[in-house]
Amino acid sequence: MAKNLVIVESPAKAKTIKKYLGKDFEVRASMGHVRDLPKSKLGIDLEHDFQPNYRLIPGKEELVSELRELAAGSEAVYLATDPDREGEAISWHLQELLDLPDETARRVTFNEITRGVVQDSIQHPRSIDHNLVDAQQARRILDRIVGYQVSPLLWRKIRRGLSAGRVQSVATRLVVEREEEIEAFVPVEYWQIDADLSRVAPAAGEFTARFVGTEKKKQELHSAEDVQKVVDVVEKAPFSIKTIKRADKKRSPSPPFTTSTLQQEASRRLNMPPRRTMAVAQQLYEGVDITGEGTVGLITYMRTDSLRISDEAIHAARSLIRDRYGAAYCPATARRFKARAGAQDAHEAIRPSDVRLTPEQIKKDLTTEQFKLYRLIWGRFVACQMAAAVYDSMTVDAVSGGYLFRASHSELKFAGFTAVYEESVEEKESTVDQKLPDLKEGEPLLLKELKKEQLFTQPPARYTEATLIRAMEERGIGRPSTYAPTISTILDREYVVKERANLRPTPLGRVVTDLMRDKFTRIVDPAFTAKMEEKLDNVEAGKESWTEVLHTFYDDFSSTLEKAEKELTGERIKVPDEVSDEICDLCGKRMVYKSGRFGRFLACPGWPECTFTKPIVVEMPGRCPNCGSRILKRTSKRGYAYYACEKGKDCGFMTWDVPVKDDCPACGKTMFKRSGRGYKRPYCINPDCERFVPEEKRGYKKTAADAEAKPAAGAETGEKPKKPAAKKTAAKKPAAKKTTAKKTAAKEEPDT
DNA sequence: CAGTGAGCGAGCTTCCGCTTGACTT
């Protein structure tokens, strides 16, 4: 047996570290937390300083007993969980569970997983920092109290099964308040005037300049009259060029990715929802079989809020930049970035593990999705170490009768980082960018045409999953590991629904948010988390005890709760039905959304007189290959998405594969692609077509060798199946209940 | 591949944060 045991959180990390530490070290993973509060009750002694009642997380018994055995046979145990609050707490729980005396329990932390840092850090163990552990406990217990005391109130006052929490309730609130803004929005009329101008012959050249205001200050045009006043003057007065400004504009690259920025960019550029992004990133992190290299972890850890980059990685990037693009593209000094305040900074930024593995080089070993995501991460990282892009910019101000019109142009002079990575910028167009003739200051111009356009201000956009995550991060709500799961929670609770990519609150979400804003104002104030973090910092610094922090919080919270209970006596709060656009086939009323054992569905509001119902239809692109009808997305009993002809049984067409927009170029029929991980090229389903792909060749796996190497690797839908709400029926059927219970205990325990 | 809608004879719902693995043709 190895002399030393090292425990980290992630198995992929364990593998890498094992390589660096060699034979004398056994390296194992805890798979995150090992001990927690019980799920079925509060588990906190409110009478005695919030003493927590921890227990082993169900399903981890084997793992822990294995660690215990290894620990008993080792000279030293290195607790190498992540260098943050949660990591420190995991180490402490491990120390307790493995009965490690303080002398054998050596706490080590790795700020980056590079050979040098790992080998050096292992030489400098310390003891567990109980202040950090205490801060984690305070956080954990506070969240438990809020969640487990407010949720039951919602069960009693609104509906069973609901939930509230420090994070999810704020996330829901953001979606609700965005909707309120949209509803309250009053469009404001405004106008644009564009002047088509030309030089006076024989000088040639034309361009368009946009109205800015008077020569003294900006002016907004809000009515046709405003516009007419300007037009009347400008049409008569001569145009001339007042100033021409030329400047070099520099644009610097963005920092490398964190979890939240990766999710945003993947959403914007690859159309990949955050959940999927994380699943694919996980594949890249755990490692992909690269021909000639074996299994290689392609990126650093994907759940991070840090912008740190190891020196090693910076050097590698800089030398790659010099080799591939030339010295001019490599700035004199390396760029380093600072994470936003409040970041825990436990891992590095998300970057390629080995920048020399270019996306093109390993493309053949990756699935399409892996390739696209890797290319994004690789590009963003390389770019972040490159020189700024330089633009030659020119701004021309033309005047007429005291009014100012502006035209501008900017031209790329030096590509810099844009040679690798073009950022997706949110476009705003205050002037028209166009190639400009070679103009001179003071020169007269001819007005060819004045173009007037009436416009209206637009309401703010609904959140998408990615923009909601950005909003949460900006407010310090949630952590990289919880952004995507939190959105799943508020969708599961039906506080929010997804319409295409947009998040919209349901009537239930509004009722719950109203109650929370009214009765638990502090809890759903984004500043609450910020205050909590401040307090936790105090605990970490040893300036305040964790029980003190909790007492202060609970004094206030318990009276808030009491007051809420008192004010909410009597009848339950009614949740209005959400009205759809569907018309009831039987009585013509507009149908409403209801939710039942199998999720949401459409029902006639005339119930019980009219009992007509129908499932919610999501129409997919393409046509049924059997009968040409529409294809609908449906959900199986087990919660998985499948696709079926709208005629249902009458036609009988049904598949797990996803219909795609583009038709088969040969026969024009709808093509499908395998849902799930791996090979995703759309295939033709028509056996008479020359491009027909037989069933066995539509598979998930890339090659037979691949299939052999990882027989367990199955398909992954990315959209996690929504467990059908097992309401009372489950309780009535003991057999069904047992199977669910078994599964639940094993893996659904951490709950997503 | 339709079925679904309500607090009650009983037992149950719920939090945030750290991790991976798992599911039908």
Side-chain angles (χ1 to χ4, degrees):
Chain A
M1 195 182 277
K3 282 188 255 165
N4 304 288
L5 174 64
V6 180
I7 305 175
V8 297
E9 291 181 41
S10 140
K13 204 187 258 184
K15 233 168 85 187
T16 313
I17 289 170
K18 167 81 190 151
K19 251 189 341 212
Y20 296 154
L21 292 179
K23 290 259 177 301
D24 290 344
F25 293 84
E26 179 73 34
V27 188
R28 293 303 181 95
S30 77
M31 312 275 196
H33 276 290
V34 284
R35 216 164 59 152
D36 192 15
L37 299 169
K39 188 175 183 302
S40 57
K41 52 180 193 212
L42 186 66
I44 298 160
D45 190 344
L46 296 169
E47 310 297 316
H48 296 97
D49 270 349
F50 306 97
Q51 271 319 296
N53 170 12
Y54 291 120
R55 50 185 68 179
L56 205 57
I57 292 173
K60 298 238 163 158
E61 300 81 2
E62 214 176 309
L63 186 148
V64 170
S65 64
E66 211 173 305
L67 288 178
R68 200 176 277 143
E69 260 170 52
L70 285 168
S74 301
E75 276 172 32
V77 179
Y78 293 88
L79 301 170
T81 52
D82 295 347
D84 57 15
R85 275 204 307 255
E86 299 295 328
E88 202 72 17
I90 294 173
S91 278
W92 173 70
H93 283 299
L94 283 169
Q95 182 186 1
E96 296 233 313
L97 284 168
L98 307 184
D99 297 317
L100 304 177
D102 287 346
E103 316 85 71
T104 21
R106 305 184 183 176
R107 173 73 169 126
V108 290
T109 55
F110 310 127
N111 270 317
E112 52 192 59
I113 309 300
T114 53
R115 186 179 293 273
V117 169
V118 168
Q119 288 175 347
D120 183 63
S121 302
I122 206 91
Q123 302 298 327
H124 301 98
R126 55 173 173 83
S127 53
I128 285 182
D129 181 341
H130 286 277
N131 288 339
L132 268 176
V133 176
D134 288 347
Q136 192 275 345
Q137 298 201 85
R139 200 276 308 150
R140 178 69 189 95
I141 290 168
L142 184 150
D143 281 335
R144 171 52 70 96
I145 291 174
V146 172
Y148 272 40
Q149 297 201 337
V150 179
S151 300
L153 182 87
L154 299 182
W155 305 342
R156 291 194 300 275
K157 303 302 176 193
I158 301 176
R159 185 183 292 178
R160 62 166 282 139
L162 300 182
S163 63
R166 175 177 57 84
V167 173
Q168 60 168 289
S169 296
V170 177
T172 307
R173 177 188 186 166
L174 290 173
V175 177
V176 168
E177 292 189 343
R178 176 57 58 86
E179 200 69 17
E180 288 169 351
E181 275 175 57
I182 293 171
E183 283 160 0
F185 184 80
V186 182
V188 175
E189 176 187 5
Y190 71 97
W191 290 74
Q192 254 172 23
I193 312 175
D194 283 345
D196 285 349
L197 301 166
S198 87
R199 305 185 73 185
V200 179
E206 297 185 353
F207 65 99
T208 304
R210 181 161 295 169
F211 177 80
V212 177
T214 65
E215 286 187 57
K216 300 243 157 26
K217 66 170 207 228
K218 276 191 164 179
Q219 182 189 337
E220 284 177 1
L221 305 168
H222 288 295
S223 66
E225 292 80 66
D226 286 358
V227 173
Q228 202 51 49
K229 269 185 218 155
V230 176
V231 170
D232 286 345
V233 173
V234 170
E235 273 180 342
K236 286 180 202 120
F239 259 98
S240 67
I241 290 185
K242 186 183 178 195
T243 54
I244 296 173
K245 280 196 202 114
R246 283 175 172 279
D248 273 0
K249 272 197 201 148
K250 276 192 181 174
R251 232 177 78 219
S252 295
S254 297
F257 282 130
T258 61
T259 303
S260 108
T261 52
L262 176 67
Q263 289 170 340
Q264 289 157 42
E265 283 301 289
S267 162
R268 204 156 29 186
R269 295 167 59 140
L270 310 179
N271 247 320
M272 217 185 258
R275 255 209 118 87
R276 183 89 205 125
T277 301
M278 293 310 282
V280 177
Q282 178 96 31
Q283 295 162 14
L284 296 173
Y285 166 69
E286 282 176 4
V288 171
D289 240 349
I290 303 294
T291 20
E293 306 238 4
T295 304
V296 184
L298 289 176
I299 60 168
T300 53
Y301 197 57
M302 63 276 148
R303 289 187 275 265
T304 179
D305 55 12
S306 173
L307 295 176
R308 255 182 318 111
I309 310 167
S310 73
D311 291 337
E312 231 170 77
I314 286 190
H315 288 138
R318 287 170 63 81
S319 90
L320 176 121
I321 292 163
R322 277 190 295 262
D323 289 352
R324 265 176 76 128
Y325 303 96
Y329 286 79
C330 189
T333 53
R335 294 179 192 275
R336 293 180 194 274
F337 304 88
K338 264 226 306 276
R340 44 168 279 281
Q344 306 242 334
D345 210 40
H347 309 272
E348 285 186 65
I350 304 172
R351 61 166 176 86
S353 306
D354 181 355
V355 75
R356 287 165 307 182
L357 288 177
T358 65
E360 284 67 31
Q361 205 177 315
I362 58 174
K363 184 172 184 178
K364 59 182 183 317
D365 298 305
L366 302 182
T367 65
T368 319
E369 281 181 308
Q370 289 171 345
F371 171 70
K372 285 182 179 162
L373 197 65
Y374 183 70
R375 189 172 53 182
L376 197 65
I377 293 167
W378 189 90
R380 173 96 163 206
F381 172 66
V382 173
C384 92
Q385 288 306 316
M386 289 176 77
V390 183
Y391 297 84
D392 191 359
S393 92
M394 182 168 160
T395 306
V396 174
D397 282 355
V399 286
S400 170
Y403 288 116
L404 180 69
F405 288 71
R406 182 166 291 163
S408 66
H409 180 53
S410 78
E411 203 163 280
L412 189 62
K413 199 160 112 185
F414 173 66
F417 74 94
T418 62
V420 178
Y421 183 87
E422 193 46 71
E423 314 212 5
S424 59
V425 244
E426 286 152 69
E427 77 290 350
K428 47 168 196 246
E429 20 158 320
S430 51
T431 56
V432 251
D433 192 291
Q434 68 203 295
K435 193 133 181 82
L436 294 167
D438 191 19
L439 302 159
K440 288 191 198 64
E441 287 193 353
E443 88 168 77
L445 296 165
L446 293 175
L447 174 64
K448 309 285 270 192
E449 196 187 351
L450 274 181
K451 289 179 294 200
K452 299 164 280 185
E453 192 180 2
Q454 184 192 33
L455 297 159
F456 291 92
T457 54
Q458 296 295 308
R462 293 205 172 89
Y463 286 112
T464 63
E465 292 183 62
T467 58
L468 181 59
I469 286 169
R470 178 169 62 189
M472 288 168 63
E473 192 200 25
E474 280 167 2
R475 290 164 179 75
I477 311 292
R479 305 275 316 131
S481 65
T482 60
Y483 293 139
T486 298
I487 292 182
S488 299
T489 299
I490 63 177
L491 285 166
D492 281 352
R493 298 280 174 275
E494 292 176 356
Y495 292 156
V496 160
V497 287
K498 214 161 67 175
E499 250 179 23
R500 309 214 158 252
N502 294 325
L503 298 175
R504 208 168 44 72
T506 61
L508 177 63
R510 291 172 187 250
V511 167
V512 171
T513 296
D514 281 342
L515 186 149
M516 294 299 293
R517 280 192 296 210
D518 186 33
K519 307 295 182 206
F520 298 96
T521 319
R522 265 192 76 205
I523 304 292
V524 290
D525 184 348
F528 178 73
T529 291
K531 290 244 179 59
M532 179 192 79
E533 289 290 344
E534 259 175 53
K535 294 283 198 176
L536 297 183
D537 286 347
N538 287 342
V539 176
E540 287 181 12
K543 287 192 271 191
E544 208 173 340
S545 83
W546 67 285
T547 50
E548 231 173 288
V549 169
L550 285 174
H551 276 298
T552 314
F553 154 74
Y554 194 66
D555 281 353
D556 181 83
F557 176 75
S558 58
S559 61
T560 306
L561 189 69
E562 225 172 275
K563 192 158 157 261
E565 291 276 9
K566 230 180 267 166
E567 290 170 357
L568 289 169
T569 47
E571 79 297 349
R572 282 178 166 234
I573 300 167
K574 284 230 170 58
V575 182
D577 283 328
E578 186 184 352
V579 182
S580 75
D581 295 330
E582 293 290 320
I583 301 297
C584 174
D585 288 8
L586 300 183
C587 64
K589 293 197 183 78
R590 279 179 72 183
M591 300 187 77
V592 295
Y593 292 99
K594 292 272 180 188
S595 65
R597 281 179 290 158
F598 309 121
R600 278 159 65 89
F601 66 101
L602 287 163
C604 178
W607 192 83
E609 286 80 43
C610 177
T611 58
F612 185 72
T613 64
K614 59 177 161 185
I616 295 168
V617 289
V618 179
E619 194 182 335
M620 297 302 294
R623 303 258 120 196
C624 171
N626 279 1
C627 66
S629 312
R630 297 181 302 171
I631 302 171
L632 305 180
K633 179 181 183 175
R634 321 202 63 162
T635 308
S636 77
K637 215 180 228 169
R638 308 190 91 122
Y640 294 98
Y642 68 94
Y643 305 88
C645 175
E646 64 173 329
K647 298 221 166 106
K649 270 203 292 243
D650 296 343
C651 166
F653 176 75
M654 214 187 314
T655 173
W656 296 106
D657 297 350
V658 189
V660 298
K661 258 203 311 273
D662 302 316
D663 292 331
C664 172
C667 68
K669 290 214 172 200
T670 298
M671 296 199 293
F672 291 79
K673 64 175 186 185
R674 279 289 204 228
S675 69
R677 127 175 20 185
Y679 200 74
K680 296 254 272 189
R681 206 173 53 182
Y683 63 85
C684 182
I685 200 169
N686 175 9
D688 302 328
C689 175
E690 58 186 73
R691 302 179 71 126
F692 173 71
V693 180
E695 182 121 23
E696 61 277 12
K697 294 186 121 178
R698 301 169 187 168
Y700 302 116
K701 315 285 188 335
K702 290 181 71 73
T703 61
D706 194 282
E708 252 174 49
K710 288 186 271 178
E716 175 164 2
T717 52
E719 282 173 65
K720 193 175 182 188
K722 206 168 106 184
K723 212 173 24 171
K727 286 192 177 168
K728 42 200 170 185
T729 35
K732 276 180 194 159
K733 290 184 201 160
K737 191 185 173 186
K738 217 172 174 183
T739 27
T740 343
K742 216 167 151 189
K743 268 188 208 159
T744 325
K747 44 193 195 263
E748 304 258 332
E749 174 66 22
D751 209 4
T752 38

